């Protein structure tokens, strides 16, 4: 009898754990910004900026908001629909979830994809409002493109995100429409490389268990497509009781880890070249801070110098830039990346890990670097605060602080990376001016030269 009670208790504990599991927090870089912020609030501690310090410049590097599936993925979902009907015909009916045989892609008939959807527009619009409310003294002046520089890549979802953010940032600042909006300029430039897949071992294991559990002859491609569908349904449609329920919580966390492993190796800390390509962006951030300090110390009149530099791009931008800052690393790991030593891969569940695509680069994910001026009597006078997804975050290069003296930020965060300038690494002929400006990141720095995405 005692053993029966133990079994019942174990089943109850498992049921309770599963009930508290929200798949929307485990979608890697397909995670919605609101879901990521919920988790970030519990992970990242607050910060107290001295009341006498005032922000004088802001740098923003943000990913585009939530988007629809791309054209390639739309075709994959259409193929999945036909494949599921074929599988259901040959399966034992009692094991098959009721929705599966009747399922049709929510995007059926759609031939173009990848655009910013309404939820993504709202994410960036609200972010713009919150940034303005958080730093009112930075955005109290009339808009001018040289004061508030806004840049985006040539991909429509990034430029649309810049527009949505700008509408929120400058709402009630103009005379256009009921929202008292005003027009603003957004620069569009080209960027970046693609990634490959590396999920085979995980898919082998999960394909076998999912096929056995549901009595369907799933292939690895089927399971890969169903996991993609789960992420799209949960993130874009807020539907978690269809494709996502084909997987157990432990399988979801394993699939999330496989996605994060891909991000780690192909965009993040897994290869130093990934983040070295972002060094020109880091230099540009520092340069903008130095220009803001010069303008302040030269006592230039308001409206004659830049107060914010706002950039909108992709996961391939936000992840490497976060790596340059050493986010989600401890001090010893940060020393390794500065010495070009490899980091260990994120541990497989159930072990815990800090590197998560859902936290580092959800839709709308962002890093803000805010330059503060403190009273002349204090030493040092200028400080940098880093906000990740709007929360203060510790910098291992600044002894684990998020409010860092500018000179320490330059010496410990920026300078060690400067020997890895992209031109030094990748240009065959540095004397050739045509090659000298072909950085994949030139669009963020205002270069007029374009590269292919």
């Amino acid at each position: 009898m005692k053993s029966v009670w133990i079994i019942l208790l174990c089943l109850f504990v498992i049921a309770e754990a599963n009930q508290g599991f929200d798949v929307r927090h485990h979608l890697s870089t397909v995670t919605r910004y609101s879901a990521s912020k919920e988790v970030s609030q519990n992970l990242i501690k607050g910060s107290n900026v001295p009341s006498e310090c005032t922000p004088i410049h802001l740098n923003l590097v943000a990913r585009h908001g939530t988007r629809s599936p791309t054209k390639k993925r739309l075709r994959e979902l259409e193929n999945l629909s036909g494949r599921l009907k074929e599988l259901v015909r040959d399966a034992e009916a009692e094991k098959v979830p009721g929705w599966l045989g009747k399922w049709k892609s929510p995007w059926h008939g759609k031939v173009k994809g990848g655009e910013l959807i309404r939820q993504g527009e709202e994410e960036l619009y609200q972010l713009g409002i919150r940034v303005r409310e958080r730093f009112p003294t930075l955005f109290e002046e009339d808009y001018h493109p040289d004061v508030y520089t806004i840049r985006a890549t040539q991909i429509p979802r990034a430029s649309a995100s810049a527009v949505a953010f700008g509408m929120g940032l400058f709402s009630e600042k103009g005379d256009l429409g009921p929202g008292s909006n005003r027009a603003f300029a957004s620069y569009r430039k080209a960027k970046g490389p693609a990634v490959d897949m590396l999920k085979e071992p995980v898919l082998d294991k999960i394909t076998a268990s999912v096929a056995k559990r549901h009595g369907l002859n799933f292939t690895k491609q089927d399971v890969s497509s169903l996991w993609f569908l789960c992420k799209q349904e949960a993130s874009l449609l807020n539907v978690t009781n269809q494709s996502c329920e084909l997987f157990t919580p432990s399988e979801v966390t394993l699939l999330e880890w496989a996605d994060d492993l891909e991000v780690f190796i192909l965009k993040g800390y897994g290869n130093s070249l990934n983040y070295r390509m972002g060094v020109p962006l880091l230099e540009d951030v520092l340069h903008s801070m130095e220009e803001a300090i010069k303008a302040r110390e030269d006592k230039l009149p308001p409206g004659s110098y830049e107060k914010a530099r706002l950039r909108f791009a992709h996961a391939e931008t936000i992840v490497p830039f976060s790596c340059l800052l050493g986010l989600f690393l401890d001090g010893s790991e940060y020393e390794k990346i500065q010495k070009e030593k490899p980091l260990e891969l994120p541990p497989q569940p159930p072990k815990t890990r800090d590197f998560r695509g859902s936290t580092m680069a959800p839709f709308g994910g962002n890093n803000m670097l805010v330059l503060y001026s403190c009273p002349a009597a204090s030493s040092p006078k200028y400080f940098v605060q880093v906000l990740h997804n709007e929360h203060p975050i510790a910098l291992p290069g600044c002894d684990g602080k998020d409010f860092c003296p500018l000179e320490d930020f330059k010496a410990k965060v920026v300078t060690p990376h400067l020997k890895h300038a992209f031109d030094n690494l990748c240009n065959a002929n540095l004397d050739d001016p045509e090659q000298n400006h072909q950085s994949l990141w030139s669009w963020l720095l205002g270069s007029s030269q374009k590269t292919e995405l």
Side-chain angles (χ1 to χ4, degrees):
M1 187 67 180
K2 183 178 179 181
S3 61
V4 173
W5 279 110
I6 292 173
I7 292 171
L8 290 174
L9 179 61
C10 290
L11 291 173
F12 175 76
V13 170
I14 292 171
E16 286 292 300
N18 288 350
Q19 191 173 13
F21 183 86
D22 190 340
V23 69
R24 289 168 295 190
H25 294 155
H26 299 272
L27 307 179
S28 193
T29 56
V30 185
T31 302
R32 290 280 304 279
Y33 186 58
S34 57
S36 179
K37 277 197 73 184
E38 288 175 13
V39 175
S40 297
Q41 283 177 316
N42 298 325
L43 296 177
I44 300 175
K45 297 180 180 179
S47 172
N48 294 314
V49 175
S51 58
E52 63 271 19
C53 298
T54 56
I56 62 172
H57 190 274
L58 183 145
N59 272 280
L60 170 71
V61 181
R63 188 187 178 196
H64 59 75
T66 302
R67 57 159 170 78
S68 71
T70 61
K71 185 176 180 179
K72 177 183 175 182
R73 291 297 200 170
L74 290 174
R75 290 196 299 268
E76 181 179 341
L77 292 176
E78 288 295 332
N79 294 336
L80 178 64
S81 178
R83 172 69 176 152
L84 292 178
K85 288 181 174 61
E86 176 186 315
L87 287 170
V88 169
R89 279 198 305 267
D90 302 329
E92 297 177 30
E94 64 271 13
K95 285 188 175 183
V96 178
W99 63 270
L100 205 59
K102 301 175 288 184
W103 182 80
K104 185 169 70 172
S105 170
W107 299 276
H108 176 68
K110 187 173 167 55
V111 294
K112 294 183 182 292
E115 78 280 6
L116 192 71
I117 63 174
R118 290 184 179 182
Q119 294 97 318
E121 293 174 0
E122 184 69 16
E123 287 164 351
L124 272 297
Y125 177 76
Q126 293 296 336
L127 176 62
I129 292 175
R130 290 195 300 273
V131 169
R132 185 189 67 203
E133 291 176 348
R134 186 168 188 163
F135 304 106
T137 57
L138 282 180
F139 297 99
E140 61 190 0
E141 295 177 19
D142 287 339
Y143 169 77
H144 190 280
D146 292 340
V147 179
Y148 303 112
T149 306
I150 301 178
R151 292 176 182 154
T153 72
Q154 65 178 5
I155 306 304
R157 57 181 172 268
S159 54
S161 295
V163 170
F165 178 89
M167 289 182 69
L169 186 67
F170 301 118
S171 60
E172 302 178 1
K173 288 277 194 173
D175 302 309
L176 299 177
S180 299
N181 296 108
R182 66 162 302 158
F184 57 91
S186 170
Y187 304 93
R188 291 168 52 174
K189 304 289 179 183
K191 72 153 294 291
V195 295
D196 219 333
M197 293 187 65
L198 42 85
K199 301 180 180 179
E200 297 302 320
V202 167
L203 286 175
D204 281 334
K205 180 179 179 181
I206 293 177
T207 297
S209 60
V210 172
K212 182 178 180 181
R213 187 164 58 247
H214 297 290
L216 292 165
N217 191 25
F218 286 131
T219 65
K220 284 189 292 186
Q221 181 56 54
D222 295 332
V223 170
S224 177
S225 295
L226 286 165
W227 171 234
F228 172 75
L229 174 61
C230 167
K231 292 187 288 186
Q232 300 304 304
E233 285 186 335
S235 183
L236 279 63
L237 307 178
N238 210 28
V239 173
T240 60
N241 62 352
Q242 288 193 160
S243 56
C244 291
E245 286 199 344
L246 294 174
F247 306 102
T248 65
S250 62
E251 288 168 348
V252 167
T253 57
L254 198 56
L255 288 164
E256 178 195 19
W257 170 80
D259 285 352
D260 288 349
L261 195 64
E262 182 177 334
V263 174
F264 184 90
I265 293 174
L266 301 180
K267 296 187 181 91
Y269 291 117
N271 186 334
S272 60
L273 187 59
N274 293 337
Y275 48 87
R276 287 184 201 166
M277 289 192 294
V279 170
L281 173 56
L282 187 61
E283 287 184 289
D284 187 58
V285 167
L286 179 61
H287 178 70
S288 68
M289 292 177 180
E290 292 172 336
E291 288 292 303
I293 291 171
K294 185 176 185 301
R296 183 179 182 85
E297 295 185 345
D298 289 348
K299 295 182 170 51
L300 297 183
S304 65
Y305 58 92
E306 181 186 83
K307 298 186 77 171
R309 193 167 293 188
L310 313 167
R311 308 166 180 86
F312 299 87
H314 308 268
E316 289 84 356
T317 308
I318 193 75
V319 173
F321 187 68
S322 297
C323 291
L324 282 175
L325 299 176
L327 302 191
F328 306 104
L329 296 181
D330 60 31
S332 61
E333 290 175 318
Y334 187 63
E335 289 176 7
K336 281 186 176 180
I337 70 165
Q338 291 191 320
K339 294 176 181 177
E340 305 177 47
K341 294 182 179 180
L343 298 185
E344 292 183 7
L345 296 176
Q348 185 171 327
K351 293 181 179 178
T352 59
R353 67 184 188 279
D354 293 326
F355 187 94
R356 289 181 177 273
S358 58
T359 303
M360 185 173 275
F363 286 131
N366 57 84
N367 288 318
M368 284 183 266
L369 291 88
V370 187
L371 177 66
Y372 282 86
S373 173
C374 296
S378 70
S379 181
K381 185 176 180 181
Y382 296 104
F383 287 78
V384 176
Q385 185 183 43
V386 176
L387 304 175
H388 179 70
N389 294 344
E390 303 177 65
H391 297 289
I393 187 167
L395 292 179
C398 290
D399 302 320
K401 300 173 184 175
D402 67 89
F403 195 63
C404 180
L406 176 62
E407 291 306 312
D408 285 354
F409 180 78
K410 288 166 64 175
K412 298 179 180 180
V413 178
V414 181
T415 301
H417 289 301
L418 295 186
K419 61 183 177 181
H420 301 310
F422 184 85
D423 286 338
N424 293 337
L425 289 165
C426 297
N427 279 349
N429 182 4
L430 294 181
D431 295 326
D432 184 349
E434 286 298 314
Q435 292 189 28
N436 246 336
H437 295 88
Q438 289 181 347
S439 167
L440 296 177
W441 296 66
S442 62
W443 56 271
L444 283 175
L445 313 180
S447 167
S448 61
Q449 186 148 348
K450 294 187 177 181
T451 57
E452 290 297 322
L453 177 64

